[in-house]
Amino acid sequence: MCLLLESICVENGEVQLLHYHEQRMNRSRKDLWGLNKEISLSGIISPLLSKYAQGLYKCRVLYQHEVKQLEFVPYQRPQINSLKKVYSHEVDYTYKYAERESLTSLFQQKGECDDILIIKKDVVTDTYFANILFSQGGRWYTSEQPLLNGVQRQFLLDQGTVKEKQILEKDLGQYSHFKFVNALNPFDLSPSQPISRIF
């Protein structure tokens, strides 16, 4: 049975988007194993936060029916300047599995670029480790067919900061810039890059 993963941002002792992580974890447990008893991540993480009152950390929670492992890892936000388009009709990452062999094999095709942009049946999905946003006419859009509905993505949709849209590979030229978001890389801190940096 594969382990699932939540990667949670802890910055200066504060946990970010915890409710979204709890929702996804408990929804995955229910979908995959029929478990209705919910786990409180707050109850598990909060007693440990005094050790991480300064700095930026990734809190990695590995779980199946129950939480199996929890660790805090110092985190530095990456600079993604370029993306390599890669193609897969079969890739599936509906649930956030800790084992990501199919994605890793695609990532190995990035060449000299910093990350990959995964195209599935002509549709733009995600990068290797993040959801991607595209700017058009002063608004930001995210693919309505992501590989994984990330917590930061869902937060931005709920706030109205971004909108869902079908984004086809052939239409990428209609957008001016892109940026990536995930639990540890929020919208405001993610730099935008010109669409010409997608190869």
Side-chain angles (χ1 to χ4, degrees):
M1 187 184 299
C2 293
L3 288 168
L4 277 77
L5 169 69
E6 290 295 324
S7 297
I8 303 171
C9 180
V10 177
E11 189 162 12
N12 296 326
E14 294 190 4
V15 184
Q16 310 297 316
L17 301 179
L18 184 59
H19 176 64
Y20 285 86
H21 287 285
E22 284 187 336
Q23 277 191 326
R24 181 168 65 186
M25 181 179 73
N26 286 311
R27 183 171 59 247
S28 297
R29 292 171 63 250
K30 183 174 182 179
D31 289 351
L32 294 172
W33 301 302
L35 300 171
N36 292 307
K37 183 180 179 181
E38 296 190 348
I39 293 175
S40 169
L41 283 175
S42 177
I44 296 171
I45 295 173
S46 295
L48 307 173
L49 291 178
S50 61
K51 298 179 181 179
Y52 306 98
Q54 299 294 324
L56 179 64
Y57 293 88
K58 177 193 289 187
C59 175
R60 298 182 79 252
V61 180
L62 291 170
Y63 69 96
Q64 292 172 337
H65 292 197
E66 303 293 340
V67 172
K68 299 292 186 180
Q69 182 180 336
L70 186 147
E71 63 177 341
F72 290 80
V73 181
Y75 186 77
Q76 184 173 351
R77 291 187 171 103
Q79 178 69 34
I80 303 298
N81 296 312
S82 59
L83 300 175
K84 174 70 173 178
K85 289 187 286 185
V86 300
Y87 302 87
S88 174
H89 292 332
E90 310 301 330
V91 64
D92 181 21
Y93 197 57
T94 305
Y95 299 98
K96 192 173 173 64
Y97 289 107
E99 182 57 59
R100 310 201 309 166
E101 287 182 4
S102 60
L103 294 180
T104 300
S105 66
L106 294 174
F107 186 71
Q108 292 170 351
Q109 302 175 34
K110 71 182 182 69
E112 296 182 359
C113 292
D114 299 315
D115 198 354
I116 57 174
L117 180 63
I118 301 168
I119 312 294
K120 183 176 182 179
K121 298 179 181 178
D122 301 321
V123 176
V124 172
T125 62
D126 292 328
T127 76
Y128 175 65
F129 74 103
N131 296 126
I132 188 165
L133 311 178
F134 295 94
S135 179
Q136 182 185 63
R139 290 204 60 94
W140 286 94
Y141 297 92
T142 185
S143 175
E144 65 182 16
Q145 295 173 265
L147 295 181
L148 179 75
N149 183 27
V151 295
Q152 185 71 226
R153 176 185 184 275
Q154 188 59 55
F155 170 74
L156 294 171
L157 287 170
D158 290 347
Q159 297 297 307
T161 305
V162 303
K163 288 188 174 182
E164 285 186 315
K165 187 177 183 180
Q166 185 181 60
I167 300 175
L168 302 176
E169 179 189 9
K170 67 181 181 64
D171 296 330
L172 283 174
Q174 299 177 10
Y175 300 89
S176 61
H177 292 79
F178 69 87
K179 66 165 63 185
F180 68 93
V181 293
N182 63 19
L184 287 112
N185 293 275
F187 181 87
D188 291 340
L189 297 180
S190 178
S192 62
Q193 300 291 348
I195 204 74
S196 61
R197 300 300 297 167
I198 299 176
F199 300 97

